């Protein structure tokens, strides 16, 4: 748990110093009652690390993003935004009741201003991927991340994101592969992640290339 708290602190410090418009979108902490209510609504207990993250911030408030700059709510790789608990509950119900995704896989983040893909945490206690990161999408379902693994433990992933921001580089996967297709960038005073090889997707954003 200490690793997760430290990583979240580093990410928030970086946002405050370099991307204050994104930092301003972080919501206040979720209380124990809020977490318990979400668990009851879904019938799933949050892994301790995910619950600890929500006790730091109850997601990101996309609705407070400046007009035309919703993507700065996407502070996670692939420009994905952390869902507040109530939106996590709604997203989970959509996945399990309408998309027929497996129960116990919690879609805690989605691409900012989009509903078709995102990150999940596996909350199935009997699976080797329990507590680990994965991806979800409307058309492909749920997969561990990185693929062909048991997923990436949430504290380790957040620690690598903190290092990527501090060093101004892409995220490096556990096998040493660099995720060159999603790089941190500054846009309108906030943080987003872009496909730096496509100028059309970068737009006016400034792709990070070294420490700031």
């Amino acid at each position: 748990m200490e690793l997760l708290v430290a990583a979240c602190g580093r990410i928030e410090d970086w946002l405050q110093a370099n991307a204050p418009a994104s930092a301003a979108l972080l919501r206040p902490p979720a209380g124990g009652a809020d977490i318990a209510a979400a668990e009851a609504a879904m019938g799933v207990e949050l892994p301790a690390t995910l619950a600890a993250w929500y006790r730091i911030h109850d997601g990101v408030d996309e609705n407070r993003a400046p007009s035309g700059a919703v993507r700065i709510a996407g502070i996670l790789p692939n420009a994905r935004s952390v869902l507040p608990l109530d939106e996590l509950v709604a997203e989970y119900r959509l996945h399990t009741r309408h998309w027929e995704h497996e129960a116990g896989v919690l879609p805690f983040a989605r691409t900012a201003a989009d509903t078709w893909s995102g990150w999940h945490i596996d909350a199935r206690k009997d699976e080797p991927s329990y507590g680990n990161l994965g991806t979800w999408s409307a058309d492909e379902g749920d997969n561990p991340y990185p693929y062909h693994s048991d997923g990436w433990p949430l504290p380790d992933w957040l620690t690598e994101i903190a290092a990527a921001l501090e060093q101004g580089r892409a995220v490096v996967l556990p096998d040493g592969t660099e995720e060159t297709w999603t790089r941190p960038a500054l846009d309108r005073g906030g943080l987003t992640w872009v496909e730096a090889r496509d100028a059309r997707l970068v737009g006016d954003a400034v792709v990070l290339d070294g420490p700031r």
Side-chain angles (χ1 to χ4, degrees):
M1 209 70 67
E2 291 181 3
L3 184 64
L4 180 140
V5 172
C8 289
R10 289 167 60 191
I11 292 170
E12 185 168 355
D13 287 347
W14 191 92
L15 291 174
Q16 295 285 0
N18 300 282
S22 290
L25 304 181
L26 296 172
R27 289 165 54 90
D34 301 317
I35 293 171
E39 291 175 333
M42 295 185 293
V44 180
E45 182 180 348
L46 272 63
T49 51
L50 183 59
W53 195 8
Y54 275 108
R55 288 190 180 95
I56 297 171
H57 289 289
D58 184 12
V60 173
D61 190 348
E62 288 187 17
N63 295 325
R64 293 174 54 206
S67 177
V70 176
R71 71 175 181 172
I72 68 168
I75 62 174
L76 299 179
N78 296 98
R80 287 169 176 166
S81 177
V82 188
L83 297 177
L85 280 171
D86 60 343
E87 294 185 31
L88 166 59
V89 171
E91 192 74 43
Y92 180 75
R93 287 172 171 166
L94 172 66
H95 288 210
T96 55
R97 296 180 183 180
H98 299 284
W99 294 357
E100 300 182 346
H101 287 201
E102 188 166 352
V105 178
L106 304 180
F108 72 92
R110 66 182 174 219
T111 305
D114 179 50
T115 61
W116 297 104
S117 63
W119 300 112
H120 76 247
I121 290 293
D122 195 337
R124 300 170 297 173
K125 293 184 177 180
D126 57 344
E127 295 293 331
S129 51
Y130 174 73
N132 289 356
L133 183 70
T135 63
W136 62 265
S137 66
D139 54 354
E140 295 183 5
D142 304 318
N143 287 298
Y145 190 83
Y147 194 53
H148 300 306
S149 74
D150 288 332
W152 205 345
L154 182 59
D156 296 351
W157 181 59
L158 291 173
T159 298
E160 173 55 22
I161 291 173
L165 292 175
E166 291 165 352
Q167 297 170 25
R169 59 168 173 77
V171 166
V172 177
L173 301 177
D175 67 359
T177 301
E178 188 178 48
E179 284 192 316
T180 54
W181 57 90
T182 180
R183 292 189 62 93
L186 297 178
D187 184 21
R188 307 189 197 189
L191 169 68
T192 189
W193 296 70
V194 299
E195 167 54 271
R197 295 170 297 185
D198 189 335
R200 295 169 300 176
L201 299 177
V202 174
D204 294 330
V206 178
V207 180
L208 300 186
D209 186 20
R212 295 187 68 85

